[in-house]
Amino acid sequence: MEPDTREANPGGPAGVVYTRDELARRVEELGREISAFYRRKLGDESVVVLGVLKGSFVFLADLVRALDLRVQIEFIVASSYGDSTVTSGVVELLYEPAASLEGRHVLLVEDIVDTGTTLERLHVLLAESGARSVEVCALLLKEVEAFEEEARREGSEATDGPLRRPRWVGFDAPDEFLVGYGLDYSENFRHLPYIATLKEPVSPDVRAPGSEQAPPEGQ
Ligand code: 5GP
Ligand code: MG
């Protein structure tokens, strides 16, 4: 399927990194792992699945349907990128969860963790919310080595540092700009059912490698 946004934006999806089927299989696995974790922890209580908009909306929709738990759903809006593909380092909170998180078990759902800046800011806010527990599930983790280095330094997988690795990660992602399955470039491409690298905008006579490559059939 060729995205119809391609003409409107010279930069379009190039190589597919995770197909629709790969995403579906991994989300099912995450659902089973998360359900097992919370069933032991919660008994009859529900978990608040807190999605970070907008990027997590597709992943969250699939993930909650793979959970065998009592679940409530809330959203938070955090913006760190503006229109650029390079992180600004500034995280703005544009919308807070409607329901109180006090005393609740919260599962924060993120599309992609890159430098960890957004996650660090959200951890601070959630600590202030009085949540009883906060766990993170990120579909993609980019700076894998930085997170592993931090964990080695702290001698543990879960530290209080800014680079605390999410408890659940769908995929260790390549350090490229990715779009699709909720991830955007200037609000485009969120609807794609697969995840692809972004082809940089090119002039007609300077074509990026892979720019002729169309996503495989059925994606
Ligand atoms: P961090 O604060 O960890 O550096 O960046 C996290 C946020 O940056 C993500 O929630 C996402 O909105 C954005 N981001 C990071 N890498 C990518 C990427 O490859 N593609 C897209 N579309 N957004 C990204
Ligand atoms: Mg995001």
Side-chain angles (χ1 to χ4, degrees):
M1 183 183 77
E2 279 292 296
D4 54 12
T5 38
R6 192 170 253 195
E7 271 182 24
N9 188 328
V16 173
V17 181
Y18 305 108
T19 65
R20 186 181 208 156
D21 283 353
E22 285 167 341
L23 290 166
R25 275 197 298 273
R26 188 66 187 119
V27 170
E28 284 297 322
E29 282 172 9
L30 288 170
R32 280 195 294 275
E33 288 169 24
I34 292 170
S35 299
F37 173 88
Y38 277 109
R39 260 200 305 276
R40 279 195 300 273
K41 194 178 172 97
L42 293 188
D44 256 4
E45 273 181 81
S46 59
V47 60
V48 180
V49 177
L50 183 61
V52 184
L53 289 176
K54 299 178 193 171
S56 74
F57 84 104
V58 179
F59 174 45
L60 182 140
D62 285 343
L63 184 67
V64 290
R65 285 176 288 177
L67 294 178
D68 184 16
L69 294 169
R70 289 184 55 204
V71 162
Q72 291 170 4
I73 298 168
E74 292 290 337
F75 290 101
I76 198 168
V77 181
S79 170
S80 65
Y81 262 59
D83 275 353
S84 162
T85 54
V86 181
T87 184
S88 63
V90 179
V91 179
E92 253 187 297
L93 253 204
L94 308 174
Y95 173 79
E96 299 196 16
S100 167
L101 301 179
E102 180 139 23
R104 307 298 307 275
H105 294 284
V106 175
L107 173 63
L108 189 71
V109 175
E110 258 283 29
D111 50 359
I112 182 163
V113 174
D114 183 3
T115 61
T117 310
T118 307
L119 205 54
E120 181 191 359
R121 173 97 174 94
L122 293 177
H123 267 302
V124 171
L125 287 161
L126 290 174
E128 288 166 1
S129 75
R132 191 153 141 215
S133 73
V134 179
E135 301 293 345
V136 180
C137 176
L139 177 63
L140 304 167
L141 179 66
K142 261 191 182 173
E143 297 282 339
V144 178
E145 283 173 18
F147 280 84
E148 284 171 357
E149 177 58 29
E150 176 82 2
R152 272 197 296 276
R153 267 207 304 278
E154 301 289 334
S156 130
E157 288 238 338
T159 74
D160 291 329
L163 289 181
R164 182 161 61 168
R165 187 184 163 101
R167 185 178 288 274
W168 297 282
V169 170
F171 299 97
D172 288 346
D175 191 15
E176 293 184 71
F177 196 79
L178 303 172
V179 295
Y181 200 66
L183 293 163
D184 75 311
Y185 174 63
S186 289
E187 296 304 326
N188 291 304
F189 313 124
R190 291 193 195 275
H191 66 295
L192 300 178
Y194 52 86
I195 291 178
T197 53
L198 185 76
K199 180 178 72 177
E200 289 302 324
V202 288
S203 70
D205 47 339
V206 189
R207 297 221 159 253
S211 60
E212 265 79 46
Q213 190 187 340
E217 288 293 319
Q219 292 303 313

